[in-house]
Amino acid sequence: MLWRRNLFAPLAALALALTASAGAGTAAAATDGPVVAAAPAASAADGFGAPGPYATAVEVGAITTLYYPRDIADSDRRHPVIVWGNGTGGVPLVYRDLMLHWASQGFVVAAANTPMSNLGISMRAGIDMLTGRNADPGSIFFDRVDLEHIGASGHSQGGAAAIVVGSDPRIDTILPIQPGPLANINAVRVPALLLAGQKDSIVFPALVKAFYNAADHIPALYGEVRGADHFTVVGDPGPFAAPTTAWFRAHLMGDRTARAQFFGPGCGICTDTATWSDVRRNSLALNVPAATP
């Protein structure tokens, strides 16, 4: 497909550049043990764009790269899961900053290593792998993974994959970022936040709106990030960090402050014109209360 060919070269080049600059001790090279990332500063309760309270670690496997709270084995709670799909030609390293940001907020991120993620097979494999690790007494993840709360996200082709994986009964919510066209949102049965870039010339906002318009059977929101092009989310995720974190905290952690960013009459993103050039909520989303029952 033309959109795949157009996307492959810049993402591949970016992956190579990031790999060259990453050095030792990052996700650039596979390892059998966890690689520890720098500890982030604690954030305020509503600072969704700021680093969370957890130090983070990275583990690169053959199929899945894990980003997770470093001291998860000693955690006093179970941590929800986000499965991730890369854009065409991309690898998790391209999105490392976003993955580490989510991990610092308390999520276990299972990023598929494949550069062709559309079918969602490797994303589902990440859930399977974490299910096994959670049940293994010898694993640092033993009984520390919240498999009852799993979200799916991804960028471009990986955004389409997040929609594909959204039909899996283990998934609780999806957050496709500038999703490619090869997906059917009619099969999704969970809430969706669909993100577009105002200046995206690869996945035009109209293509993302088409998914939103078709999602009339689920609570769905459309958010168009002001000034963003197709590659704004790679490297430093910038304006994508806060809303994606808030969405997953709302749906996978029951965070009421985060929930109010999207639902109810006070909908935070609905009035944030500095971040958003267009925000839409369908009728089902409008009926979702800001506070959980």
Side-chain angles (χ1 to χ4, degrees):
M1 298 294 290
L2 181 59
W3 71 275
R4 288 184 175 181
R5 293 197 298 270
N6 288 343
L7 184 57
F8 179 84
L11 271 182
L14 180 58
L16 289 172
L18 288 174
T19 302
S21 64
T26 72
T31 176
D32 292 332
V35 180
V36 178
S43 65
D46 60 350
F48 304 116
Y54 293 94
T56 57
V58 182
E59 179 186 319
V60 182
I63 298 174
T64 306
T65 296
L66 295 177
Y67 300 84
Y68 58 94
R70 183 182 65 192
D71 298 323
I72 192 168
D74 300 317
S75 178
D76 60 356
R77 55 168 294 185
R78 293 184 179 90
H79 295 264
V81 175
I82 301 170
V83 292
W84 173 265
N86 308 302
T88 305
V91 293
L93 180 61
V94 171
Y95 307 96
R96 180 179 184 272
D97 287 358
L98 182 59
M99 308 295 102
L100 288 174
H101 180 74
W102 288 343
S104 80
Q105 292 278 343
F107 297 99
V108 176
V109 183
N113 289 339
T114 177
M116 301 296 286
S117 57
N118 209 137
L119 296 178
I121 295 171
S122 296
M123 293 169 71
R124 289 188 174 98
I127 302 175
D128 295 339
M129 183 264 286
L130 282 173
T131 300
R133 298 282 289 275
N134 186 62
D136 179 5
S139 169
I140 63 170
F141 296 97
F142 176 59
D143 200 31
R144 295 298 89 191
V145 183
D146 183 359
L147 295 167
E148 297 301 314
H149 294 93
I150 303 176
S153 187
H155 174 234
S156 197
Q157 185 182 155
I163 296 173
V164 171
V165 173
S167 64
D168 190 306
R170 297 173 294 183
I171 297 296
D172 296 288
T173 187
I174 63 170
L175 199 166
I177 301 172
Q178 298 159 299
L182 303 181
N184 179 9
I185 204 165
N186 292 323
V188 176
R189 292 292 180 268
V190 295
L193 173 60
L194 296 139
L195 297 185
Q198 183 187 22
K199 296 185 177 180
D200 192 340
S201 59
I202 294 176
V203 176
F204 298 106
L207 297 175
V208 185
K209 286 177 187 173
F211 279 125
Y212 167 77
N213 292 333
D216 56 1
H217 59 294
I218 56 175
L221 286 78
Y222 169 83
E224 187 176 291
V225 179
R226 185 175 297 281
D229 63 25
H230 196 68
F231 299 102
T232 298
V233 72
V234 305
D236 178 353
F240 288 90
T244 58
T245 300
W247 181 263
F248 283 129
R249 286 188 66 91
H251 287 85
L252 305 181
M253 292 181 173
D255 186 322
R256 293 190 176 188
T257 303
R259 188 180 179 87
Q261 293 295 306
F262 308 100
F263 302 113
C267 167
I269 69 168
C270 298
T271 56
D272 180 7
T273 56
T275 302
W276 307 98
S277 51
D278 190 359
V279 172
R280 305 182 185 197
R281 298 187 293 171
N282 69 9
S283 59
L284 293 177
L286 287 171
N287 289 327
V288 175
T292 52

